[in-house]
Amino acid sequence: MIKSEIVKQIYAVSHLVGSFQLRSGRISSEYFDKYQFEANPSLLDAVVKQMVNLIPSNTEVLAGLELGAISIVTLLSHYSGLPTAFVRKEAKKYGTSRLAEGAQINNRKVLIVEDVVTSGGQIIISAHQLRELGAEIDYALCVIDREEGAVDKLLAEGITLLSLLKRRDFPT
Ligand SMILES: O=P(O)(O)OC[C@H]1O[C@H](OP(=O)(O)OP(=O)(O)O)[C@H](O)[C@@H]1O
Ligand SMILES: O=C(O)c1cc(=O)[nH]c(=O)[nH]1
C-alpha cells in the first residue's frame, strides 16, 4: 500500500473530532484512535511494513510501549527480525516484577516504538525507566507525530524522534 493510501485509510478509520483529554493533560479537538487502525489487519500490516525502513541500522532491540504500541512492535519484530521488549507503564507487582518483558535490554541499542506521539512525555518517562535498566536509547519511532513539540523535547533528552506520518500529512 502506498503512503498516501495509508494516510487516507488511517484518517478514515481513526480520526475523531470532539473534545478529548490527552495523556499530557492537554485538551484537543481531535484524536487519532490508534486502536482502530491497529484492529484492521491489512492497514496495520501496511503501516508496519513502511516502518521497517525507518529502523536505525544499529538497533538491537525494539521496545514497544503498552498498550497501543504492542501490536505495532510485535509485527515490526516479525518483519525486521529484531527481538522485542514489551514495556509496561509500571512494573508488574507479582511474578517476575518486570517493567520490560521479553528481550534483554541491558547494554543494548534499544529503539522505542510508539503509536501516536503528542508531547513526547510518555516516551521520556519510559526512556528514563529503560535507561535505568541499562538500555541505550538514541531513537524512538512512531506511527503519527502530532507535531506538538515532541521532536524538540525528545532531542533535549538525547532521543531523535522518527515518524512514519506527521500531522501535516493528514487533512486539516
Ligand atoms: O506524547 P504524549 O503526550 O506522551 O502522548 C502520547 C501517548 O499517549 C497515548 O497513550 P495512552 O496513555 O492513551 O495509552 P495507551 O497506549 O495505553 O492507550 C499514546 O499512545 C502515547 O503513548
Ligand atoms: O496525546 C494523546 O494522549 C493521544 C493523542 C491521540 O491523537 N491519540 C492517542 O491515542 N493519544
Side-chain angles (χ1 to χ4, degrees), residues 33-93:
D33 179 0
K34 66 240 180 171
Y35 297 111
Q36 294 307 317
F37 65 76
E38 293 176 18
N40 177 321
S42 62
L43 184 51
L44 178 64
D45 186 71
V47 164
V48 172
K49 273 184 178 151
Q50 298 248 353
M51 290 174 82
V52 175
N53 305 319
L54 300 175
I55 297 174
S57 56
N58 63 352
T59 303
E60 294 177 288
V61 177
L62 306 173
L65 308 188
E66 72 152 328
L67 175 67
I70 297 300
S71 63
I72 295 165
V73 80
T74 303
L75 202 51
L76 199 58
S77 171
H78 173 75
Y79 282 126
S80 66
L82 290 165
T84 304
F86 305 98
V87 181
R88 299 179 184 279
K89 289 191 172 116
E90 267 183 49
K92 193 164 164 170
K93 294 203 164 56

Side-chain angles (χ1 to χ4, degrees), residues 23 34-35 66-68 89 114-116 118-122:
R23 192 212 63 83
K34 66 240 180 171
Y35 297 111
E66 72 152 328
L67 175 67
K89 289 191 172 116
E114 255 293 26
D115 41 49
V116 181
T118 304
S119 69
Q122 183 59 52

